Amino acid sequence: MIGIFDSGLGGLTAVKEMIKLSPDEELIYFGDTGRVPYGNRSSATITKYACQDAAFLLSKKVDAIVVACGTVSTTSLSHLKKTLPIPVIGVVEPSAEAAVKATKNGRIAVIGTAATIRSGAFEREIKKLSPDSEVITQACPLFVPLVENGFVQEDCEITRLAAEHYLSKIRESGADTLILGCTHYPIIAGVISKVLPNVTLISSGAEAAKKALEVLGKKESGGCGSVSYYVSDDPTMFVSNASLFLGGEINGTVEKININEY
Ligand code: DGL
């Protein structure tokens, strides 16, 4: 059983990929909807929340954890890896690998939350794999609230204006590949692509899911392919917006838990 967590809905981009690639997998998803967003908080707070999220998943007896959150992956992954007794997979390494493979001109852009960009983690990983790459980074703090509130349609004027504002530097840089370093961002990929046409987008959640299945091995059969969802606030909003991420209605139970007990 694989546990997946995020601050909110974004990690569902990893769940969707996981279901697509390994439909027999049993998954437990936790979205910390009561405390989203994480991206503008201090490193200490993000790590504290991440430890509680992981402790909840451990209490459900998961065999591995996918940190389907760019903010936690860039801020607290090494702490989680050191302290948890099971494999922990984050989004940074797999996304950097995919971007280095995809780029043709060696110019790779990364967008994410303020905490993610502040950490420099994507940049370090890309440079490790390809020292000659040019890396352009940009924090996009308004994207998560826009997505969590459903402003995701391709022709949404508010989101388009925010995208124009944040992405102009990347357009000018001539980057041909963009890592969506926050797992919420693939939901507004349509808007992003309008501002950055002909740029290859890398979904960090999907790349983490692929990597997890590579590392842990795909469940071939015998599982019933269930997903149990847990959130830390009223599930109503989560349920109504989850279909945007999953590309269909939630198929599984959604339960509210008290994350402060972990
Ligand atoms: N999906 C999270 C990430 O990938 C959202 C961040 C937030 O909660 O601000 O960074």
Side-chain angles (χ1 to χ4, degrees):
M1 192 157 53
I2 301 177
I4 303 175
F5 78 87
D6 178 43
S7 57
L9 289 154
L12 295 178
T13 50
V15 171
K16 185 181 177 194
E17 186 72 11
M18 197 80 95
I19 293 172
K20 187 176 108 194
L21 297 177
S22 186
D24 289 336
E25 212 67 55
E26 280 161 59
L27 306 175
I28 297 209
Y29 183 81
F30 175 62
D32 196 2
T33 53
R35 303 190 293 198
V36 67
Y38 283 9
N40 48 13
R41 298 183 194 271
S42 69
S43 303
T45 301
I46 294 165
T47 301
K48 178 183 151 204
Y49 289 177
C51 290
Q52 289 179 307
D53 302 345
F56 165 69
L57 291 174
L58 271 183
S59 77
K60 293 286 171 193
K61 310 258 180 290
V62 297
D63 305 305
I65 289 180
V66 177
V67 180
C69 175
T71 305
V72 173
S73 296
T74 53
T75 308
S76 322
L77 194 74
S78 54
H79 180 83
L80 293 177
K81 281 191 170 191
K82 249 185 270 161
T83 51
L84 295 177
I86 54 173
V88 183
I89 294 109
V91 304
V92 178
E93 264 182 50
S95 306
E97 276 169 23
V100 166
K101 220 183 268 175
T103 185
K104 297 209 163 45
N105 67 10
R107 287 201 280 273
I108 299 171
V110 182
I111 55 174
T113 64
T116 290
I117 298 306
R118 183 179 66 217
S119 76
F122 279 102
E123 200 166 354
R124 274 195 302 280
E125 193 61 33
I126 294 166
K127 290 276 191 191
K128 202 163 91 190
L129 297 171
S130 172
D132 294 335
S133 298
E134 189 187 327
V135 185
I136 305 100
T137 63
Q138 176 66 50
C140 306
L142 287 177
F143 280 178
V144 168
L146 285 168
V147 169
E148 288 278 332
N149 287 284
F151 290 89
V152 297
Q153 298 72 21
E154 229 176 278
D155 56 358
C156 176
E157 196 56 10
I158 301 174
T159 306
R160 188 191 65 76
L161 284 172
E164 282 284 353
H165 174 75
Y166 289 134
L167 305 177
S168 57
K169 179 176 94 179
I170 293 173
R171 189 168 47 207
E172 280 155 28
S173 76
D176 69 351
T177 304
L178 172 65
I179 297 180
L180 306 178
C182 169
T183 52
H184 280 68
Y185 298 175
I187 303 309
I188 52 167
V191 182
I192 292 171
S193 281
K194 274 194 177 164
V195 179
L196 298 174
N198 308 317
V199 171
T200 304
L201 305 186
I202 308 286
S203 161
S204 52
E207 294 305 326
K210 279 186 223 164
K211 177 59 104 192
L213 293 173
E214 203 180 292
V215 173
L216 304 168
K218 224 161 136 173
K219 189 170 247 159
E220 288 309 337
S221 61
C224 57
S226 65
V227 192
S228 308
Y229 298 91
Y230 295 87
V231 289
S232 53
D233 203 351
D234 183 351
T236 318
M237 185 86 158
F238 179 84
V239 171
S240 66
N241 281 336
S243 56
L244 296 169
F245 286 79
L246 294 168
E249 293 306 308
I250 275 199
N251 185 9
T253 53
V254 185
E255 207 179 296
K256 183 185 168 195
I257 58 137
N258 181 359
I259 193 62
N260 288 314
E261 285 173 2
Y262 295 89

